[in-house]
């Protein structure tokens, strides 16, 4: 039985949930999971509904038939087939822990994505990538060729019809133009617990300050460097006895986990942009299970 999801954003008012539930019933659908949020400050309403059709109504008919309800409440909405894997381009430089973690999770079916290409400004991970039958593109970036390099990157994105770009420790700053063109479609992992310790060597900065917690932040990329809407964060505890290198090693683990969770949320359409913040709904039951659990 096909599993679908409906995502809705609109101004908060009475009757939205009732209208959606009524529509589902009238079209022979059973709601299996639902989450909603009213932002009292902005007056915005967000909702995600998982459902399946008990009468075989296809997704296109569900989408077309919902237009009247959406118009009544001035909704921005979409229907998603949960069996469809999101196409993703991963970008990496010389730190490969996030890339390797993501490739493993994809291989065992723990992330509902298809990696359609890996782009790097170095050759370090070419063999790792091509050995998994994934196209690898080495696109060098310098101050002189940055516009041409980004054009080549965007060509790969367009050719592969990718829905998302993941910066898995890609150590190049994207242009404002590219950030705006791919707004809400680029996820970055920042190796610190924003907004503390930005820039180079954040773990060294943290070590020098004697912090007791370090962490990682995954966020959407905007033209404001490392200021995009935050999707996921986590931390790990540090003691006075650990070295700067310990910080780096512990940081690698938390970075990989945070980035994977952010991609999981995005790929399951659980993340809603809400100004400079996000609304992130909990995962639906069963969405963390994978094809190979061992």
């Amino acid at each position: 039985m096909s599993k679908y999801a409906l995502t809705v954003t609109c101004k908060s008012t009475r009757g939205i949930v009732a209208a959606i539930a009524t529509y589902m019933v009238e079209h022979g659908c059973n709601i299996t999971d639902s989450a909603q949020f009213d932002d009292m400050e902005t007056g915005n309403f967000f909702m995600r509904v998982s459902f399946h059709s008990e009468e075989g109504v296809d997704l296109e008919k569900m989408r077309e038939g919902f237009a009247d309800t959406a118009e009544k409440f001035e909704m921005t909405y979409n229907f998603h087939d949960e069996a469809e894997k999101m196409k993703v381009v991963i970008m990496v430089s010389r730190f490969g822990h996030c890339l390797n973690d993501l490739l493993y999770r994809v291989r065992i079916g723990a992330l509902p994505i298809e990696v359609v290409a890996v782009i790097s400004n170095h050759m370090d991970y070419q063999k790792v990538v091509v050995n998994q039958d994934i196209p690898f593109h080495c696109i060098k970036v310098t101050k002189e060729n940055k516009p041409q390099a980004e054009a080549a990157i965007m060509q790969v994105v367009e050719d592969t019809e990718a829905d998302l770009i993941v910066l898995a420790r890609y150590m190049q700053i994207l242009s404002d133009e590219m950030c705006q063109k791919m707004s809400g479609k680029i996820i970055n992992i920042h190796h610190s617990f924003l907004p503390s310790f930005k820039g180079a060597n954040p773990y060294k900065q943290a070590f020098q300050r004697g912090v007791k917690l370090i962490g990682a932040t995954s966020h959407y990329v905007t033209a404001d460097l490392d200021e995009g809407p935050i999707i996921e964060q986590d931390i790990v505890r540090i003691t006075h006895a650990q070295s700067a290198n310990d910080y780096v090693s512990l940081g690698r683990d938390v970075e990989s986990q945070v980035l994977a969770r952010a991609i999981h949320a995005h790929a399951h359409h659980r993340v809603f942009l809400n100004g400079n913040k996000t609304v992130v709904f909990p995962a639906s039951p069963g969405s963390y299970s994978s094809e190979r659990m061992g």
Side-chain angles (χ1 to χ4, degrees):
M1 189 175 293
S2 298
K3 294 181 179 180
Y4 303 126
L6 167 65
T7 53
V8 168
T9 304
C10 60
K11 286 296 180 182
S12 180
T13 188
R14 288 180 297 177
I16 300 171
V17 176
I20 291 173
T22 298
Y23 181 80
M24 293 294 176
V25 171
E26 290 176 346
H27 288 77
C29 297
N30 182 33
I31 295 175
T32 56
D33 183 60
S34 179
Q36 66 189 70
F37 174 67
D38 274 285
D39 188 331
M40 303 303 291
E41 292 186 357
T42 64
N44 292 330
F45 174 84
F46 307 88
M47 189 171 187
R48 182 187 183 279
V49 177
S50 293
F51 66 96
H52 62 256
S53 172
E54 296 180 337
E55 298 180 5
V57 180
D58 66 39
L59 204 59
E60 193 56 39
K61 288 184 178 179
M62 291 291 295
R63 187 178 288 112
E64 292 174 359
F66 193 69
D68 290 341
T69 301
E71 184 178 2
K72 177 181 178 182
F73 293 99
E74 299 182 351
M75 295 176 178
T76 299
Y77 72 98
N78 208 345
F79 284 84
H80 312 275
D81 185 341
E82 295 193 357
E84 291 183 1
K85 293 184 177 182
M86 184 172 289
K87 293 183 177 181
V88 175
V89 168
I90 298 177
M91 297 177 65
V92 64
S93 289
R94 309 202 92 153
F95 299 99
H97 52 285
C98 289
L99 170 67
N100 283 305
D101 180 77
L102 293 176
L103 293 179
Y104 174 73
R105 291 175 190 267
V106 171
R107 191 163 65 248
I108 66 170
L111 277 178
I113 63 173
E114 176 188 358
V115 181
V116 293
V118 172
I119 297 173
S120 181
N121 52 332
H122 300 280
M123 293 294 291
D124 300 45
Y125 299 103
Q126 180 194 32
K127 187 176 291 187
V128 170
V129 173
V130 298
N131 282 350
Q132 300 192 41
D133 296 323
I134 298 171
F136 178 86
H137 304 267
C138 184
I139 301 175
K140 300 286 186 180
V141 182
T142 65
K143 289 182 180 179
E144 292 73 25
N145 81 336
K146 191 177 183 69
Q148 292 82 5
E150 284 200 348
I153 291 168
M154 287 307 303
Q155 191 63 55
V156 173
V157 172
E158 291 168 10
D159 290 346
T160 58
E161 299 180 336
D163 306 296
L164 178 69
I165 297 174
V166 172
L167 306 183
R169 293 301 302 273
Y170 181 69
M171 308 306 287
Q172 292 287 329
I173 297 173
L174 303 182
S175 68
D176 292 357
E177 182 182 358
M178 184 172 176
C179 292
Q180 291 166 5
K181 185 174 183 178
M182 297 296 292
S183 177
K185 295 182 179 181
I186 307 177
I187 292 178
N188 184 37
I189 182 66
H190 194 282
H191 46 302
S192 71
F193 197 57
L194 293 177
S196 299
F197 311 124
K198 298 180 184 180
N201 299 315
Y203 292 123
K204 184 177 180 180
Q205 295 177 51
F207 174 73
Q208 291 171 340
R209 289 289 303 277
V211 303
K212 299 300 183 277
L213 294 171
I214 60 172
T217 298
S218 188
H219 61 94
Y220 288 115
V221 173
T222 63
D224 295 322
L225 183 62
D226 297 328
E227 298 290 343
I230 293 170
I231 307 169
E232 181 64 59
Q233 293 180 296
D234 207 349
I235 55 172
V236 62
R237 185 164 289 280
I238 299 295
T239 76
H240 64 278
Q242 288 166 320
S243 69
N245 288 336
D246 290 331
Y247 281 42
V248 174
S249 296
L250 291 166
R252 281 198 299 259
D253 292 339
V254 73
E255 289 166 28
S256 299
Q257 294 172 39
V258 167
L259 181 58
R261 291 203 296 263
I263 295 169
H264 187 278
H266 181 92
H268 278 283
H269 311 287
R270 297 191 283 114
V271 187
F272 295 74
L273 287 171
N274 185 24
N276 63 351
K277 300 188 293 183
T278 60
V279 173
V280 184
F281 287 129
S284 297
S287 65
Y288 280 117
S289 62
S290 60
E291 297 160 8
R292 294 165 54 190
M293 295 301 291

